[in-house]
Amino acid sequence: KSLPASTMMKVALAVFLCLAASVLAGSNYAVLVAGSNGYYNYRHQADVCHAFHLLTEKGGFPAENIIVFMYDDIADNSRNPVKGNIINHPDGPNVYEGVNKDYTGKDCTAENFLAVLRGDKEAMNGVGSGRVLESGPDDNVFVYYSDHGANGLVAMPTGPYLYAKDLVATLQSMHDNKQYKRMAFYLEACESGSMFEGILPNDIDVFATTAATGSQSSYAYYYDKTRGTYLGDEYSINWMENSEEAKFDIETLEQQFKIVANLTHGSQAQQFGSIKSMGSEPIGDFQHYEDARAMYAASAPQILDRHRHAESANCRDVKLDVLQRLYLDEKHPKAKEGLYREIEAEISHRSLADKIFTTIAQDVAREVNMVELRKPVTDWTCYKKAVESVQNICGNMSDYSMKWNYVLNNLCSHGVTVAEISAAARRACF
Protein backbone atom coordinates (compact mmCIF):
# COMPACT_ATOMS: atom_id res chain seq x y z
CA LYS A 1 0.00 0.00 0.00
CA SER A 2 1.44 3.35 -1.04
CA LEU A 3 1.85 6.21 1.39
CA PRO A 4 -0.52 9.18 1.17
CA ALA A 5 0.75 12.08 -0.96
CA SER A 6 0.96 14.35 2.10
CA THR A 7 3.19 11.82 3.91
CA MET A 8 5.42 11.45 0.85
CA MET A 9 5.81 15.22 0.73
CA LYS A 10 6.81 15.32 4.40
CA VAL A 11 9.37 12.55 3.90
CA ALA A 12 10.82 14.32 0.86
CA LEU A 13 11.01 17.58 2.78
CA ALA A 14 12.73 15.90 5.72
CA VAL A 15 15.32 14.33 3.40
CA PHE A 16 15.91 17.68 1.71
CA LEU A 17 16.38 19.46 5.03
CA CYS A 18 18.83 16.81 6.23
CA LEU A 19 20.86 17.13 3.05
CA ALA A 20 20.78 20.92 3.26
CA ALA A 21 21.85 20.81 6.90
CA SER A 22 24.78 18.54 6.07
CA VAL A 23 25.94 20.96 3.39
CA LEU A 24 25.56 23.99 5.65
CA ALA A 25 27.33 22.20 8.49
CA GLY A 26 30.61 22.54 6.65
CA SER A 27 33.63 20.33 6.96
CA ASN A 28 36.69 19.96 9.18
CA TYR A 29 40.33 20.55 8.23
CA ALA A 30 43.59 20.11 10.13
CA VAL A 31 47.18 21.31 9.88
CA LEU A 32 49.81 19.36 11.86
CA VAL A 33 53.33 20.72 12.35
CA ALA A 34 56.51 19.19 13.78
CA GLY A 35 58.85 22.15 13.96
CA SER A 36 62.18 20.43 14.61
CA ASN A 37 64.62 17.90 13.19
CA GLY A 38 67.33 15.63 14.57
CA TYR A 39 67.01 12.37 16.48
CA TYR A 40 67.11 14.08 19.89
CA ASN A 41 63.84 15.71 18.82
CA TYR A 42 62.22 12.37 17.90
CA ARG A 43 59.20 13.23 20.03
CA HIS A 44 57.93 16.16 17.93
CA GLN A 45 57.49 14.10 14.76
CA ALA A 46 56.11 11.23 16.87
CA ASP A 47 53.52 13.62 18.33
CA VAL A 48 52.43 14.78 14.89
CA CYS A 49 52.27 11.27 13.42
CA HIS A 50 50.14 10.19 16.39
CA ALA A 51 47.83 13.17 15.87
CA PHE A 52 47.42 12.23 12.20
CA HIS A 53 46.27 8.72 13.10
CA LEU A 54 43.99 10.02 15.85
CA LEU A 55 42.23 12.30 13.38
CA THR A 56 41.98 9.76 10.57
CA GLU A 57 41.24 6.59 12.54
CA LYS A 58 39.06 7.77 15.41
CA GLY A 59 38.19 11.15 13.92
CA GLY A 60 37.23 9.86 10.50
CA PHE A 61 39.15 12.61 8.70
CA PRO A 62 39.91 11.88 5.06
CA ALA A 63 43.68 12.21 4.57
CA GLU A 64 43.15 14.98 2.03
CA ASN A 65 41.70 17.20 4.77
CA ILE A 66 44.94 17.07 6.76
CA ILE A 67 48.16 18.90 5.87
CA VAL A 68 51.37 17.73 7.56
CA PHE A 69 54.72 19.46 8.07
CA MET A 70 57.50 17.15 9.29
CA TYR A 71 61.21 17.08 8.44
CA ASP A 72 61.04 13.29 8.04
CA ASP A 73 64.51 12.37 9.32
CA ILE A 74 63.50 10.10 12.22
CA ALA A 75 61.95 6.89 10.89
CA ASP A 76 65.05 5.84 8.94
CA ASN A 77 67.59 7.70 11.08
CA SER A 78 70.85 5.81 11.67
CA ARG A 79 70.19 5.99 15.42
CA ASN A 80 66.70 4.51 15.13
CA PRO A 81 67.02 0.77 15.88
CA VAL A 82 63.60 0.07 14.34
CA LYS A 83 63.78 1.44 10.80
CA GLY A 84 60.63 2.84 9.28
CA ASN A 85 59.06 2.97 12.71
CA ILE A 86 58.05 5.81 15.03
CA ILE A 87 56.10 5.34 18.26
CA ASN A 88 54.59 7.90 20.64
CA HIS A 89 53.93 5.58 23.57
CA PRO A 90 55.95 2.76 25.15
CA ASP A 91 55.25 -0.41 23.14
CA GLY A 92 52.82 1.65 21.06
CA PRO A 93 51.90 1.17 17.40
CA ASN A 94 53.96 2.46 14.49
CA VAL A 95 52.44 5.92 13.93
CA TYR A 96 54.75 6.74 11.00
CA GLU A 97 53.05 4.36 8.59
CA GLY A 98 50.45 5.96 6.33
CA VAL A 99 51.07 9.58 7.33
CA ASN A 100 50.75 12.26 4.65
CA LYS A 101 54.05 14.11 4.40
CA ASP A 102 53.11 17.27 2.53
CA TYR A 103 56.10 19.39 3.47
CA THR A 104 59.41 17.81 4.47
CA GLY A 105 63.07 18.81 4.77
CA LYS A 106 63.84 22.32 3.50
CA ASP A 107 60.12 22.96 2.84
CA CYS A 108 59.37 23.00 6.58
CA THR A 109 59.56 26.76 7.07
CA ALA A 110 57.54 29.34 8.97
CA GLU A 111 56.86 31.18 5.72
CA ASN A 112 55.37 28.07 4.12
CA PHE A 113 53.29 27.27 7.20
CA LEU A 114 51.71 30.73 7.15
CA ALA A 115 51.10 30.49 3.41
CA VAL A 116 49.32 27.15 3.91
CA LEU A 117 47.10 28.69 6.60
CA ARG A 118 46.27 31.62 4.30
CA GLY A 119 45.35 29.23 1.50
CA ASP A 120 47.98 30.83 -0.74
CA LYS A 121 48.24 28.35 -3.61
CA GLU A 122 50.47 30.64 -5.65
CA ALA A 123 53.08 30.84 -2.88
CA MET A 124 53.10 27.04 -2.50
CA ASN A 125 53.17 26.21 -6.20
CA GLY A 126 56.03 23.77 -6.78
CA VAL A 127 56.70 23.37 -3.04
CA GLY A 128 56.10 19.96 -1.46
CA SER A 129 52.59 18.73 -2.18
CA GLY A 130 51.49 22.31 -2.85
CA ARG A 131 48.38 21.71 -0.75
CA VAL A 132 46.95 24.59 1.27
CA LEU A 133 43.96 25.05 3.56
CA GLU A 134 40.82 25.36 1.47
CA SER A 135 38.45 25.92 4.37
CA GLY A 136 35.60 28.41 4.16
CA PRO A 137 33.14 30.26 6.41
CA ASP A 138 31.26 27.07 7.39
CA ASP A 139 34.36 24.95 8.13
CA ASN A 140 36.23 24.32 11.37
CA VAL A 141 40.02 24.12 11.49
CA PHE A 142 42.24 22.25 13.94
CA VAL A 143 45.93 23.20 14.18
CA TYR A 144 48.44 21.23 16.22
CA TYR A 145 52.07 22.39 16.45
CA SER A 146 54.82 20.55 18.37
CA ASP A 147 58.21 22.17 18.66
CA HIS A 148 60.81 24.18 20.58
CA GLY A 149 59.96 27.71 21.61
CA ALA A 150 61.17 30.85 23.32
CA ASN A 151 59.78 34.27 24.18
CA GLY A 152 57.27 35.13 21.43
CA LEU A 153 58.50 32.55 18.94
CA VAL A 154 58.57 28.88 17.98
CA ALA A 155 61.11 27.19 15.75
CA MET A 156 61.03 25.52 12.36
CA PRO A 157 63.71 23.10 11.15
CA THR A 158 64.53 25.37 8.20
CA GLY A 159 64.71 29.16 8.01
CA PRO A 160 63.73 31.87 10.48
CA TYR A 161 61.57 31.37 13.54
CA LEU A 162 57.78 31.72 13.53
CA TYR A 163 56.99 34.82 15.56
CA ALA A 164 53.80 35.31 17.57
CA LYS A 165 52.97 38.60 15.86
CA ASP A 166 53.11 37.01 12.40
CA LEU A 167 51.08 33.98 13.47
CA VAL A 168 48.32 36.04 15.09
CA ALA A 169 48.25 38.46 12.13
CA THR A 170 47.67 35.45 9.86
CA LEU A 171 44.87 34.15 12.09
CA GLN A 172 43.28 37.60 12.09
CA SER A 173 43.51 37.74 8.29
CA MET A 174 41.94 34.29 8.00
CA HIS A 175 39.08 35.41 10.23
CA ASP A 176 38.55 38.64 8.28
CA ASN A 177 38.53 36.71 5.00
CA LYS A 178 36.07 34.12 6.38
CA GLN A 179 38.47 31.23 5.91
CA TYR A 180 37.06 29.32 8.88
CA LYS A 181 34.05 29.21 11.15
CA ARG A 182 35.96 28.30 14.30
CA MET A 183 39.52 27.19 14.99
CA ALA A 184 41.16 25.17 17.78
CA PHE A 185 44.93 25.63 18.06
CA TYR A 186 46.99 23.32 20.32
CA LEU A 187 50.63 24.35 20.78
CA GLU A 188 53.40 22.27 22.36
CA ALA A 189 56.62 24.22 23.04
CA CYS A 190 58.67 25.80 25.77
CA GLU A 191 57.34 29.27 26.67
CA SER A 192 54.42 28.57 24.32
CA GLY A 193 52.07 30.81 26.28
CA SER A 194 54.00 33.80 24.93
CA MET A 195 52.69 33.01 21.42
CA PHE A 196 49.18 34.06 22.42
CA GLU A 197 49.20 35.88 25.78
CA GLY A 198 48.12 39.50 25.33
CA ILE A 199 48.25 39.06 21.53
CA LEU A 200 45.46 36.71 20.45
CA PRO A 201 42.09 38.53 20.29
CA ASN A 202 39.12 36.90 22.00
CA ASP A 203 36.69 37.76 19.20
CA ILE A 204 38.10 35.92 16.15
CA ASP A 205 36.77 32.46 17.10
CA VAL A 206 40.12 30.88 17.91
CA PHE A 207 40.41 28.68 21.02
CA ALA A 208 44.12 28.19 21.77
CA THR A 209 45.80 26.05 24.40
CA THR A 210 49.52 25.79 25.12
CA ALA A 211 51.78 23.38 26.97
CA ALA A 212 53.30 26.06 29.20
CA THR A 213 53.18 29.65 30.34
CA GLY A 214 55.18 32.33 28.57
CA SER A 215 58.23 31.69 30.76
CA GLN A 216 58.15 27.93 31.44
CA SER A 217 59.76 25.01 29.69
CA SER A 218 57.55 22.18 28.54
CA TYR A 219 58.49 18.57 29.25
CA ALA A 220 59.51 15.57 27.17
CA TYR A 221 57.86 12.30 28.21
CA TYR A 222 58.15 8.53 27.87
CA TYR A 223 61.88 7.87 27.74
CA ASP A 224 62.50 4.74 25.67
CA LYS A 225 65.69 2.85 26.49
CA THR A 226 65.64 0.83 23.27
CA ARG A 227 65.39 3.87 21.04
CA GLY A 228 67.52 6.09 23.26
CA THR A 229 65.18 9.06 23.17
CA TYR A 230 61.92 10.51 24.48
CA LEU A 231 58.86 9.34 22.57
CA GLY A 232 56.53 12.25 23.22
CA ASP A 233 55.81 15.48 25.05
CA GLU A 234 53.79 15.52 28.24
CA TYR A 235 51.07 18.01 27.22
CA SER A 236 50.77 16.44 23.77
CA ILE A 237 50.41 12.84 24.84
CA ASN A 238 47.92 13.98 27.47
CA TRP A 239 45.56 15.64 24.99
CA MET A 240 45.86 12.83 22.45
CA GLU A 241 45.43 10.00 24.93
CA ASN A 242 42.45 11.84 26.39
CA SER A 243 40.93 12.24 22.92
CA GLU A 244 41.36 8.51 22.31
CA GLU A 245 39.21 7.82 25.40
CA ALA A 246 36.77 10.73 25.11
CA LYS A 247 33.30 10.92 23.62
CA PHE A 248 33.80 13.42 20.83
CA ASP A 249 30.22 14.65 20.87
CA ILE A 250 30.17 15.24 24.65
CA GLU A 251 33.57 16.30 25.95
CA THR A 252 34.11 20.01 25.34
CA LEU A 253 37.20 22.05 24.55
CA GLU A 254 37.11 23.51 28.06
CA GLN A 255 36.74 20.07 29.65
CA GLN A 256 39.64 18.68 27.63
CA PHE A 257 41.80 21.66 28.61
CA LYS A 258 41.08 21.06 32.30
CA ILE A 259 41.80 17.34 32.01
CA VAL A 260 45.08 17.97 30.18
CA ALA A 261 46.11 20.74 32.58
CA ASN A 262 45.45 18.40 35.50
CA LEU A 263 47.59 15.66 33.95
CA THR A 264 50.45 17.91 32.86
CA HIS A 265 52.77 18.19 35.85
CA GLY A 266 56.01 19.56 34.39
CA SER A 267 54.47 22.80 33.17
CA GLN A 268 51.22 24.72 33.50
CA ALA A 269 48.99 24.40 30.42
CA GLN A 270 47.30 27.64 29.39
CA GLN A 271 44.30 28.71 27.32
CA PHE A 272 43.71 31.85 25.26
CA GLY A 273 41.37 33.46 22.78
CA SER A 274 37.65 32.76 22.48
CA ILE A 275 37.44 30.76 25.70
CA LYS A 276 33.96 31.91 26.75
CA SER A 277 32.30 31.59 23.35
CA MET A 278 34.01 28.34 22.31
CA GLY A 279 34.79 26.50 25.56
CA SER A 280 31.48 24.60 25.42
CA GLU A 281 32.10 23.36 21.85
CA PRO A 282 32.55 19.56 21.65
CA ILE A 283 36.10 18.51 20.78
CA GLY A 284 34.49 16.52 17.97
CA ASP A 285 33.75 19.80 16.20
CA PHE A 286 37.51 19.98 15.54
CA GLN A 287 38.97 16.51 15.97
CA HIS A 288 36.22 14.64 14.16
CA TYR A 289 35.12 14.86 10.55
CA GLU A 290 31.62 16.22 9.90
CA ASP A 291 28.80 14.24 11.52
CA ALA A 292 30.64 10.95 12.07
CA ARG A 293 31.00 11.80 15.76
CA ALA A 294 27.31 10.98 16.26
CA MET A 295 28.27 7.30 16.42
CA TYR A 296 29.83 7.79 19.86
CA ALA A 297 27.59 7.26 22.86
CA ALA A 298 27.30 10.07 25.36
CA SER A 299 29.14 9.89 28.66
CA ALA A 300 30.42 12.70 30.86
CA PRO A 301 34.22 12.89 31.06
CA GLN A 302 35.88 12.67 34.44
CA ILE A 303 38.90 14.72 35.45
CA LEU A 304 41.25 12.10 36.87
CA ASP A 305 44.95 12.10 37.61
CA ARG A 306 46.21 9.45 35.21
CA HIS A 307 49.88 10.22 35.85
CA ARG A 308 51.86 7.26 34.55
CA HIS A 309 55.04 7.80 36.55
CA ALA A 310 56.92 7.79 33.25
CA GLU A 311 60.37 9.35 32.97
CA SER A 312 60.35 12.94 31.77
CA ALA A 313 62.77 15.80 31.23
CA ASN A 314 62.76 19.56 30.82
CA CYS A 315 62.79 20.04 27.03
CA ARG A 316 65.79 22.38 27.32
CA ASP A 317 67.77 19.52 28.88
CA VAL A 318 66.73 16.62 26.65
CA LYS A 319 69.98 16.32 24.70
CA LEU A 320 72.15 16.29 27.84
CA ASP A 321 69.69 14.00 29.64
CA VAL A 322 69.71 11.47 26.78
CA LEU A 323 73.50 11.55 26.44
CA GLN A 324 73.92 10.85 30.15
CA ARG A 325 71.44 7.95 29.97
CA LEU A 326 73.21 6.48 26.94
CA TYR A 327 76.57 6.83 28.69
CA LEU A 328 75.38 4.98 31.78
CA ASP A 329 73.89 2.17 29.69
CA GLU A 330 76.83 1.79 27.29
CA LYS A 331 79.06 -1.26 27.91
CA HIS A 332 81.59 -0.85 25.12
CA PRO A 333 84.61 1.24 26.33
CA LYS A 334 85.23 3.03 23.02
CA ALA A 335 81.58 3.96 22.54
CA LYS A 336 81.40 5.06 26.19
CA GLU A 337 84.39 7.34 25.65
CA GLY A 338 82.70 8.88 22.61
CA LEU A 339 79.55 9.58 24.61
CA TYR A 340 81.64 11.14 27.37
CA ARG A 341 83.13 13.55 24.84
CA GLU A 342 79.66 14.40 23.56
CA ILE A 343 78.53 15.14 27.12
CA GLU A 344 81.53 17.39 27.66
CA ALA A 345 80.81 19.22 24.39
CA GLU A 346 77.17 19.76 25.32
CA ILE A 347 78.07 21.09 28.78
CA SER A 348 80.63 23.42 27.20
CA HIS A 349 78.06 24.64 24.68
CA ARG A 350 75.56 25.41 27.42
CA SER A 351 78.16 27.24 29.52
CA LEU A 352 79.24 29.28 26.50
CA ALA A 353 75.63 30.21 25.65
CA ASP A 354 75.05 31.34 29.24
CA LYS A 355 78.20 33.43 29.13
CA ILE A 356 77.46 35.02 25.75
CA PHE A 357 73.99 36.25 26.63
CA THR A 358 74.84 37.45 30.13
CA THR A 359 77.82 39.29 28.64
CA ILE A 360 75.65 40.96 25.98
CA ALA A 361 73.12 42.02 28.62
CA GLN A 362 75.76 43.45 30.95
CA ASP A 363 77.62 45.15 28.12
CA VAL A 364 74.76 47.33 26.87
CA ALA A 365 72.57 47.74 29.96
CA ARG A 366 74.88 47.91 32.95
CA GLU A 367 72.45 49.76 35.20
CA VAL A 368 69.62 47.20 34.85
CA ASN A 369 69.84 43.43 35.28
CA MET A 370 68.33 42.27 31.97
CA VAL A 371 68.80 38.61 32.87
CA GLU A 372 66.32 38.73 35.74
CA LEU A 373 63.58 40.64 33.88
CA ARG A 374 60.78 38.97 31.91
CA LYS A 375 58.99 41.42 29.64
CA PRO A 376 56.35 40.80 26.95
CA VAL A 377 57.46 41.64 23.43
CA THR A 378 56.39 45.13 22.39
CA ASP A 379 58.96 46.13 19.76
CA TRP A 380 58.69 43.22 17.34
CA THR A 381 60.87 44.86 14.69
CA CYS A 382 63.78 45.31 17.08
CA TYR A 383 63.31 41.86 18.61
CA LYS A 384 63.25 39.99 15.30
CA LYS A 385 66.25 41.88 13.95
CA ALA A 386 68.18 41.38 17.19
CA VAL A 387 67.56 37.62 17.18
CA GLU A 388 68.62 37.37 13.52
CA SER A 389 71.71 39.51 14.08
CA VAL A 390 72.93 37.58 17.13
CA GLN A 391 72.48 34.31 15.24
CA ASN A 392 74.42 35.66 12.26
CA ILE A 393 77.25 36.73 14.54
CA CYS A 394 77.34 33.96 17.15
CA GLY A 395 75.83 31.06 15.23
CA ASN A 396 72.41 29.43 15.14
CA MET A 397 70.77 28.89 18.49
CA SER A 398 70.28 25.40 19.85
CA ASP A 399 67.29 23.97 21.68
CA TYR A 400 69.05 25.10 24.86
CA SER A 401 70.45 28.50 23.91
CA MET A 402 67.25 29.82 22.33
CA LYS A 403 65.88 30.18 25.85
CA TRP A 404 68.08 33.29 26.13
CA ASN A 405 66.10 35.17 23.47
CA TYR A 406 64.10 36.82 26.23
CA VAL A 407 67.21 38.85 27.10
CA LEU A 408 67.27 40.32 23.60
CA ASN A 409 63.62 41.29 23.97
CA ASN A 410 64.38 42.92 27.34
CA LEU A 411 67.11 44.99 25.70
CA CYS A 412 64.78 46.10 22.90
CA SER A 413 62.10 47.00 25.44
CA HIS A 414 64.71 49.02 27.34
CA GLY A 415 65.49 51.13 24.26
CA VAL A 416 68.73 49.42 23.25
CA THR A 417 69.14 49.49 19.47
CA VAL A 418 69.83 46.52 17.22
CA ALA A 419 73.18 48.10 16.32
CA GLU A 420 74.17 48.24 19.99
CA ILE A 421 73.06 44.63 20.55
CA SER A 422 74.99 43.50 17.47
CA ALA A 423 78.14 45.29 18.60
CA ALA A 424 77.87 43.65 22.02
CA ALA A 425 77.38 40.24 20.34
CA ARG A 426 80.58 40.71 18.33
CA ARG A 427 82.51 41.49 21.49
CA ALA A 428 81.01 38.48 23.28
CA CYS A 429 81.50 35.97 20.47
CA PHE A 430 84.91 36.96 19.09
Side-chain angles (χ1 to χ4, degrees):
K1 184 178 180 180
S2 61
L3 293 172
S6 60
T7 302
M8 292 290 289
M9 286 290 291
K10 290 177 181 179
V11 170
L13 179 61
V15 170
F16 171 79
L17 290 174
C18 287
L19 291 172
S22 67
V23 171
L24 293 174
S27 188
N28 284 0
Y29 294 83
V31 180
L32 311 176
V33 182
S36 69
N37 60 352
Y39 195 74
Y40 289 107
N41 294 317
Y42 179 111
R43 63 195 185 278
H44 297 140
Q45 293 183 52
D47 290 339
V48 161
C49 289
H50 184 179
F52 180 88
H53 284 284
L54 170 67
L55 296 180
T56 55
E57 292 170 14
K58 179 174 180 179
F61 268 72
E64 59 267 24
N65 278 44
I66 306 174
I67 297 172
V68 176
F69 284 79
M70 58 182 288
Y71 200 82
D72 197 22
D73 62 338
I74 301 301
D76 294 312
N77 193 285
S78 61
R79 287 188 54 202
N80 189 349
V82 190
K83 297 294 184 286
N85 180 285
I86 296 177
I87 62 175
N88 195 223
H89 187 283
D91 301 318
N94 180 10
V95 293
Y96 180 71
E97 187 175 1
V99 174
N100 285 351
K101 295 180 283 291
D102 294 282
Y103 300 100
T104 61
K106 63 181 178 58
D107 295 331
C108 291
T109 69
E111 182 180 10
N112 287 343
F113 170 60
L114 295 179
V116 165
L117 289 183
R118 294 194 307 270
D120 191 341
K121 291 184 178 180
E122 184 178 349
M124 301 309 294
N125 184 34
V127 181
S129 69
R131 297 201 305 129
V132 300
L133 264 184
E134 298 190 46
S135 51
D138 297 316
D139 303 323
N140 288 340
V141 175
F142 179 69
V143 181
Y144 169 56
Y145 199 118
S146 182
D147 190 21
H148 292 289
N151 192 20
L153 60 86
V154 288
M156 267 292 201
T158 307
Y161 295 131
L162 172 63
Y163 289 87
K165 182 182 179 182
D166 299 328
L167 173 60
V168 173
T170 297
L171 300 181
Q172 180 72 61
S173 173
M174 292 174 69
H175 175 266
D176 295 345
N177 292 320
K178 296 180 171 55
Q179 290 179 270
Y180 64 87
K181 182 180 180 181
R182 290 189 174 87
M183 179 187 294
F185 198 123
Y186 287 12
L187 177 57
E188 170 78 60
C190 291
E191 303 178 41
S192 46
S194 65
M195 292 296 290
F196 298 118
E197 187 174 11
I199 309 169
L200 181 65
N202 60 11
D203 60 354
I204 64 169
D205 298 311
V206 175
F207 181 98
T209 77
T210 64
T213 68
S215 59
Q216 288 178 326
S217 294
S218 58
Y219 274 70
Y221 213 67
Y222 289 148
Y223 181 77
D224 186 280
K225 197 169 182 178
T226 300
R227 289 165 176 78
T229 192
Y230 284 90
L231 303 178
D233 292 280
E234 187 181 23
Y235 158 89
S236 292
I237 61 100
N238 282 335
W239 80 255
M240 283 186 275
E241 292 182 7
N242 171 251
S243 287
E244 287 170 343
E245 300 171 355
K247 305 302 181 184
F248 275 164
D249 57 341
I250 296 299
E251 186 172 314
T252 66
L253 291 173
E254 177 69 17
Q255 287 171 329
Q256 180 161 81
F257 168 74
K258 288 181 177 178
I259 290 169
V260 172
N262 184 62
L263 292 169
T264 304
H265 301 292
S267 58
Q268 294 172 290
Q270 304 290 298
Q271 58 181 339
F272 304 96
S274 302
I275 300 169
K276 291 183 178 179
S277 61
M278 289 181 60
S280 60
E281 290 274 332
I283 59 173
D285 283 359
F286 304 92
Q287 297 175 31
H288 218 291
Y289 185 67
E290 294 182 335
D291 295 328
R293 62 183 173 272
M295 72 179 70
Y296 291 96
S299 68
Q302 295 183 2
I303 300 176
L304 301 173
D305 188 342
R306 299 183 294 118
H307 187 52
R308 303 158 191 79
H309 304 291
E311 294 178 278
S312 63
N314 183 314
C315 287
R316 301 285 188 211
D317 300 330
V318 164
K319 185 175 182 179
L320 183 58
D321 177 279
V322 169
L323 283 171
Q324 290 171 334
R325 290 175 183 272
L326 293 174
Y327 175 81
L328 292 173
D329 291 338
E330 183 57 57
K331 305 301 181 187
H332 194 282
K334 190 172 182 179
K336 201 173 187 75
E337 183 182 348
L339 287 166
Y340 183 78
R341 287 197 295 269
E342 285 190 67
I343 291 170
E344 283 189 318
E346 176 63 15
I347 292 173
S348 295
H349 159 72
R350 292 158 71 99
S351 297
L352 180 60
D354 296 347
K355 181 180 179 182
I356 287 172
F357 282 92
T358 53
T359 299
I360 291 172
Q362 293 166 359
D363 192 354
V364 293
R366 296 183 182 88
E367 72 280 11
V368 180
N369 189 336
M370 290 293 168
V371 174
E372 292 184 357
L373 293 175
R374 279 278 181 176
K375 292 188 174 184
V377 181
T378 53
D379 188 341
W380 287 98
T381 301
C382 175
Y383 182 45
K384 290 166 73 172
K385 287 182 177 179
V387 170
E388 181 180 353
S389 178
V390 169
Q391 288 198 107
N392 288 337
I393 294 166
C394 300
N396 289 334
M397 295 181 193
S398 68
D399 308 340
Y400 173 81
S401 62
M402 67 186 296
K403 74 174 188 176
W404 286 104
N405 279 325
Y406 81 93
V407 170
L408 303 181
N409 172 60
N410 288 343
L411 294 172
C412 287
S413 299
H414 197 63
V416 179
T417 66
V418 175
E420 291 172 316
I421 295 171
S422 300
R426 291 188 191 94
R427 289 189 290 271
C429 293
F430 292 100

